[in-house]
Amino acid sequence: MSESKIALITGGSRGLGKEMALNLSAAGYRVVITYHTHRTGAEEVLNTIHEMGGKAAAIPIDLENQSAISGFVVELSRVLREEFATERLDVLINNAGMGATIPFEKVTEDDFDRFMQVHLKSVFFLTQQIVPLLNDGGRVIQISSGTTRFCVPGYSIYAMMKGGVEVFTRYLAKELGPRGITVNTVAPGPVETDFNNASLRNNPDRKMAAIQMAALGRVAQPDDIASVIRFLCSDDSRWITGQRIEVSGGITL
């Protein structure tokens, strides 16, 4: 991969986003990550990339605040000019999110609005403002969830919003196709990260249940997902667009 290519990864300070950043950097990409409150984690990611000989930057954004998006894009443009000597991106990965297990009957309107803002509305409008910065032939990758196909109690609002992102992916692929930009969704199954307060890692019974449902007999590690992201960023994926790609080890087949 060309080292001139630049990828923007939202939520890149930990978990899957961190692994994506490290994986793409190792493949020759320059990387911009976003973070919300986890500044120390973002700095650790940057330090690791710099130690690997790569180039990276981190920009904060609060995706619960819709008005923050335009200011973020202004700052991103500044960083691209001053730190990367360009005004363009090649890849946008909409990864940032939050988790909570809330039974349907206990969901409040505030819960619903927060999940909609972070997982759906901000994805739509951030993408809208980033697309003009994308080079023709670029990539947009959305991170969804296996829970849009199979049901996990307590994930109703999370999965609803991710389902919306999957529909958005198909429409965006159609509208950006004339520019040669591919748009795809990656839908992980259970992954052992700190997502949703490390609910999988901290709950042995839940982890074992996931293992027993997976055809490959284990839960995912972050690199299992990041390697698929790397492929979708590459030229080898040039004829794949508008797709939902589940990366779940064959769970609930």
Side-chain angles (χ1 to χ4, degrees):
M1 294 185 183
S2 170
E3 63 180 8
S4 66
K5 289 187 176 180
I6 301 177
L8 170 63
I9 304 168
T10 66
S13 64
R14 58 187 180 183
L16 289 181
K18 173 183 177 179
E19 194 66 31
M20 293 172 200
L22 298 179
N23 204 302
L24 286 178
S25 179
Y29 277 84
R30 294 177 289 172
V31 175
V32 180
I33 64 172
T34 76
Y35 65 95
H36 180 201
T37 59
H38 202 208
R39 179 177 177 179
T40 300
E43 291 174 347
E44 290 173 356
V45 173
L46 297 189
N47 289 338
T48 300
I49 290 175
H50 294 154
E51 289 170 1
M52 293 165 54
K55 187 170 181 58
I59 305 173
I61 184 172
D62 177 7
L63 291 175
E64 289 188 44
N65 179 5
Q66 183 66 25
S67 64
I69 291 176
S70 58
F72 166 79
V73 175
V74 170
E75 177 63 10
L76 172 64
S77 295
R78 184 195 67 78
V79 168
L80 290 174
R81 287 193 309 271
E82 297 182 6
E83 300 190 28
F84 296 90
T86 184
E87 296 182 351
R88 313 292 290 178
L89 289 165
D90 298 280
V91 177
L92 166 63
I93 303 173
N94 283 312
N95 166 74
M98 61 185 189
T101 303
I102 311 173
F104 159 75
E105 65 273 13
K106 295 184 178 179
V107 173
T108 66
E109 189 172 354
D110 285 344
D111 292 330
F112 190 98
D113 288 346
R114 287 181 66 232
F115 272 78
M116 182 169 64
Q117 173 60 42
V118 171
H119 287 287
L120 185 58
K121 187 175 180 180
S122 73
V123 170
F124 186 98
F125 287 102
L126 179 63
T127 302
Q128 186 185 67
Q129 293 200 40
I130 294 296
V131 161
L133 303 180
L134 277 179
N135 283 316
D136 291 352
R139 303 283 186 265
V140 177
I141 301 172
Q142 322 274 32
I143 305 303
S144 182
S145 169
T147 57
T148 62
R149 179 178 67 85
F150 54 84
C151 297
V152 176
Y155 275 53
S156 60
I157 50 175
Y158 175 79
M160 282 178 63
M161 304 313 164
K162 290 299 191 180
V165 168
E166 292 179 8
V167 173
F168 175 44
T169 292
R170 296 197 297 274
Y171 275 82
L172 197 60
K174 187 72 170 178
E175 296 196 30
L176 297 184
R179 291 182 54 192
I181 296 172
T182 67
V183 188
N184 291 289
T185 292
V186 170
V191 187
E192 197 165 5
T193 69
D194 60 355
F195 181 74
N196 194 11
N197 298 312
S199 61
L200 192 66
R201 182 184 299 153
N202 294 337
N203 189 328
D205 291 340
R206 183 175 180 184
K207 180 177 177 179
M208 181 55 64
I211 289 172
Q212 291 172 343
M213 287 189 291
L216 295 180
R218 65 176 176 87
V219 298
Q221 297 300 313
D223 185 61
D224 294 318
I225 313 303
S227 59
V228 176
I229 299 296
R230 183 182 65 211
F231 163 71
L232 289 174
C233 290
S234 75
D235 190 56
D236 290 338
S237 71
R238 61 190 175 276
W239 203 237
I240 302 172
T241 195
Q243 301 303 304
R244 177 193 187 271
I245 301 167
E246 185 170 309
V247 188
S248 67
I251 196 167
T252 66
L253 291 177

